[in-house]
């Protein structure tokens, strides 16, 4: 943000009803917490649904992963809002399952293929082991923040975010066609699947264009609901496939064991590096909106603590069989909307997420969402991620060097996504590392931006 924009946001922050350290009344706290939950709920449960769909996990496994995502997001949000020692921002800062890691996670899960068939336990053990150890990268960045910001410039960050969005579009369109189950029964890309995905996509667009702020905030939820109703009427949702909705989940650390693979570690480590820089931007925006300083010792302590918590919470997520967490930028807008920046509201949000995660009925119900319904919603989400990356790039000076860095990074990153067979003759470790367009393009962006020198 430039100084003028900062002043505009500061003037808006003066209209806050409750500041960072104020304690709103119970009714107001619950109302604000519900609006935050509305903004984040679908975003938290979608990554485990996409990953499960891509790796063809059964309903029970999918439901468990969704439940653990909610549980861990609650714990992570409490740590960010409360600040435990040096860990956390102490702001109303919400954490949830990150979309940025989906591509490398699916790649890590494919390591569980045995004899042409995926072993679920093996796949998840590779995923969670890599997520846990790679999270150290982000924790190290939090301690070396001023140096890493010189390496991961807005140009590099924008390129990687754009590649994340473009890479995820492949997973989204695969879901629109019906996913792995449709490929197996020959119905992939049928008019029924594509029509259902289109219904969800257009419903979300219509609600998102509404002048009613509540319809706009809940556009994805409403789109999914319309899709699920249509799918149920078409006989695509089978409630009898779930034997029991009851019970209570007791989180079990390291449920799937350990399996280590260096290629998965490197791929995920790069995304953690980029996520740290994104977190810095989100914390800056949150501080600004909350009327808190965005420079000086207090801010730097908050920023480093928030990034440290981002990494620590992702490690905690892997321990409790969930996927990496990151700070949710959309909740910054919710602070402006409600006029409530109190970190104590975060405790209500955290508590609600933990409770929702401990009851299997929540995860099991959402695991029934058909792939085309999910695809219709995520296709738009992933396109938005790519657009956000382009916006970051556009905020920088596009000189000859920047054009060259973008050209090389996008060319190499997208080439391995579109023609994965190009790596077939490489050693297995090299193939696993560079099969992700995010890793290939991201590393290329870092290196070319650092070493290419052009005299203008």
């Amino acid at each position: 943000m430039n100084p003028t924009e900062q002043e505009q946001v500061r003037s808006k922050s003066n209209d806050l009803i409750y500041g960072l350290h104020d304690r709103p009344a119970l009714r107001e706290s619950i109302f604000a917490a519900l609006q935050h939950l509305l903004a984040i709920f679908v975003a938290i449960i979608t990554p485990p649904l996409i990953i499960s769909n891509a790796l063809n996990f059964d309903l029970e496994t999918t439901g468990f992963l969704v439940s653990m995502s909610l549980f861990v997001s609650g714990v992570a949000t409490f740590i960010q809002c409360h600040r435990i020692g040096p860990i956390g921002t102490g702001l109303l800062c919400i954490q949830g399952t990150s979309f940025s890691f989906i591509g490398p996670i699916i790649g890590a899960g494919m390591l569980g293929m045995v004899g042409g068939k995926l072993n679920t336990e093996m796949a998840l053990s590779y995923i969670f082991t890599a997520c846990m150890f790679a999270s150290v990268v982000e924790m190290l960045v939090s301690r070396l923040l001023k140096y890493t910001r010189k390496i991961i410039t807005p140009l590099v960050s924008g390129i990687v975010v754009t590649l994340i969005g473009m890479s995820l579009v492949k997973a989204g369109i695969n879901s629109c066609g019906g996913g792995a189950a449709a490929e197996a029964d020959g119905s992939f890309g049928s008019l029924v699947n594509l029509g259902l995905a289109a219904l969800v996509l257009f419903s979300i667009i219509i609600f998102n264009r509404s002048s009613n702020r509540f319809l706009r905030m809940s556009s994805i939820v409403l789109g999914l609901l319309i899709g699920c109703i249509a799918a149920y009427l078409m006989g695509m949702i089978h409630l009898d496939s779930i034997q029991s909705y009851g019970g209570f989940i007791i989180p079990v650390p390291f449920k799937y064991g350990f399996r280590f693979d260096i290629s998965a570690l490197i791929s995920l480590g790069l995304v953690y590096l980029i996520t740290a820089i994104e977190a810095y931007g989100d914390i800056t925006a949150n501080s600004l909106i909350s009327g808190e300083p965005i420079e000086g010792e207090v801010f730097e302590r908050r920023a480093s603590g928030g990034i440290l918590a981002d990494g620590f919470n992702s490690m905690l997520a892997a321990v409790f069989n969930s996927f990496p967490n990151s700070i949710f930028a959309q909740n910054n807008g919710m602070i402006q909307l409600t006029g409530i920046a109190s970190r104590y509201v975060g405790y209500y949000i955290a508590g609600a997420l933990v409770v929702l995660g401990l009851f299997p009925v929540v995860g099991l119900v959402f695991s029934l969402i058909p792939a085309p319904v999910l695809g219709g919603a995520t296709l738009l989400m992933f396109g938005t991620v790519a657009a956000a990356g382009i916006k970051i790039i556009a905020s920088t000076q596009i000189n000859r060097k920047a054009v060259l860095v973008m050209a090389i990074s996008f060319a190499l990153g997208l080439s391995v996504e579109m023609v994965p067979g190009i790596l077939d003759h490489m050693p297995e470790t090299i193939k696993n590392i560079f099969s992700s367009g995010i890793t290939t393009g991201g590393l290329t962006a870092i290196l070319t931006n650092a070493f290419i020198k052009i005299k203008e």
Side-chain angles (χ1 to χ4, degrees):
M1 289 187 182
N2 59 45
T4 303
E5 290 174 323
Q6 291 178 6
E7 285 303 317
Q8 289 174 349
V9 177
R10 282 189 194 283
S11 66
K12 289 182 181 179
S13 71
N14 292 333
D15 296 328
L16 287 174
I17 301 169
Y18 292 103
L20 180 63
H21 302 292
D22 295 332
R23 291 177 180 263
L26 178 63
R27 184 177 64 179
E28 292 169 311
S29 295
I30 292 174
F31 179 69
L34 283 173
Q35 291 194 78
H36 278 281
L37 282 170
L38 186 64
I40 64 173
F41 186 82
V42 172
I44 291 173
I45 66 170
T46 301
L49 290 174
I50 294 169
I51 293 164
S52 296
N53 179 59
L55 297 174
N56 203 23
F57 293 153
D58 58 44
L59 286 178
E60 185 179 352
T61 301
T62 303
F64 175 75
L65 294 175
V66 169
S67 293
M68 287 300 95
S69 292
L70 291 167
F71 170 76
V72 171
S73 292
V75 175
T77 296
F78 176 79
I79 291 172
Q80 280 286 16
C81 296
H82 185 68
R83 186 174 174 90
I84 300 173
I87 305 176
T89 60
L91 298 166
L92 177 50
C93 201
I94 314 302
Q95 287 222 221
T97 323
S98 174
F99 282 90
S100 301
F101 294 85
I102 292 176
I105 284 174
I106 292 173
M110 294 305 291
L111 295 169
M113 292 292 289
V114 179
K117 186 177 181 181
L118 190 80
N119 181 303
T120 298
E121 185 173 324
M122 185 181 293
L124 289 171
S125 67
Y126 274 121
I127 289 170
F128 294 137
T129 301
C131 288
M132 182 174 66
F133 283 102
S135 67
V136 174
V137 171
E138 189 166 9
M139 289 188 266
L140 286 174
V141 170
S142 74
R143 306 296 91 184
L144 304 168
L145 191 57
K146 61 181 180 181
Y147 302 109
T148 50
R149 284 172 61 198
K150 295 177 181 178
I151 300 171
I152 310 297
T153 64
L155 176 63
V156 171
S157 182
I159 289 170
V160 174
V161 173
T162 304
L163 283 168
I164 287 171
M166 289 179 172
S167 299
L168 290 176
V169 165
K170 184 169 73 172
I173 199 67
N174 183 66
S175 293
C176 288
E183 288 179 343
D185 64 22
S187 64
F188 186 83
S190 67
L191 288 177
V192 171
N193 289 340
L194 295 180
L196 192 55
L199 172 66
V200 176
L201 176 62
F202 288 122
S203 298
I204 293 171
I205 292 172
I206 290 168
F207 287 121
N208 196 260
R209 291 180 66 250
S210 172
S211 57
N212 184 305
R213 66 184 186 184
F214 294 104
L215 286 178
R216 185 179 175 186
M217 280 191 303
S218 56
S219 59
I220 295 174
V221 176
L222 292 172
L224 285 171
L225 182 61
I226 289 171
C228 285
I229 292 172
Y232 180 75
L233 294 175
M234 294 163 66
M236 296 176 68
I237 294 179
H238 305 285
L239 297 175
D240 56 356
S241 61
I242 295 179
Q243 303 302 315
S244 172
Y245 288 93
F248 181 80
I249 291 179
I250 299 176
V252 179
F254 310 115
K255 179 179 179 179
Y256 298 98
F258 294 92
R259 282 186 175 85
F260 187 82
D261 182 82
I262 187 65
S263 60
L265 180 69
I266 293 172
S267 297
L268 285 160
L270 177 65
V271 183
Y272 275 116
L273 185 63
I274 301 302
T275 301
I277 306 303
E278 289 179 359
Y280 183 87
D282 293 334
I283 294 165
T284 303
N286 192 309
S287 298
L288 200 62
I289 292 165
S290 302
E292 294 296 311
I294 57 167
E295 56 187 8
E297 186 180 343
V298 172
F299 171 72
E300 291 299 330
R301 189 165 61 247
R302 277 192 181 135
S304 63
I307 295 170
L308 177 61
D310 226 39
F312 176 80
N313 289 332
S314 292
M315 181 181 71
L316 200 64
V319 169
F320 286 101
N321 316 293
S322 184
F323 305 112
N325 269 229
S326 64
I327 295 170
F328 275 6
Q330 59 261 46
N331 292 90
N332 293 336
M334 204 59 62
I335 294 172
Q336 276 190 302
L337 185 68
T338 61
I340 299 175
S342 170
R343 64 192 180 94
Y344 296 101
V345 171
Y347 299 167
Y348 290 89
I349 300 167
L353 289 171
V354 168
V355 170
L356 287 170
L358 292 179
F359 289 93
V361 62
V362 177
L364 289 171
V365 166
F366 282 99
S367 68
L368 291 172
I369 297 177
V373 174
L374 191 63
T378 55
L379 200 60
L380 189 62
M381 286 179 173
F382 298 155
T384 304
V385 173
I390 294 170
K391 188 176 180 180
I392 295 171
I393 294 172
S395 69
T396 66
Q397 183 183 2
I398 310 297
N399 52 25
R400 278 201 302 147
K401 174 182 174 178
V403 170
L404 196 56
V405 171
M406 284 190 289
I408 300 170
S409 302
F410 285 132
L412 295 182
L414 293 176
S415 63
V416 297
E417 287 286 343
M418 292 188 288
V419 190
I422 195 71
L423 300 172
D424 282 352
H425 294 288
M426 293 290 179
E428 198 63 28
T429 301
I430 298 296
K431 181 180 177 181
N432 290 337
I433 292 172
F434 292 102
S435 60
S436 165
I438 301 167
T439 307
T440 302
L443 285 174
T444 302
I446 292 172
L447 294 174
T448 52
N449 189 56
F451 293 111
I452 289 179
K453 307 294 181 184
I454 293 179
K455 291 183 179 180
E456 295 291 339

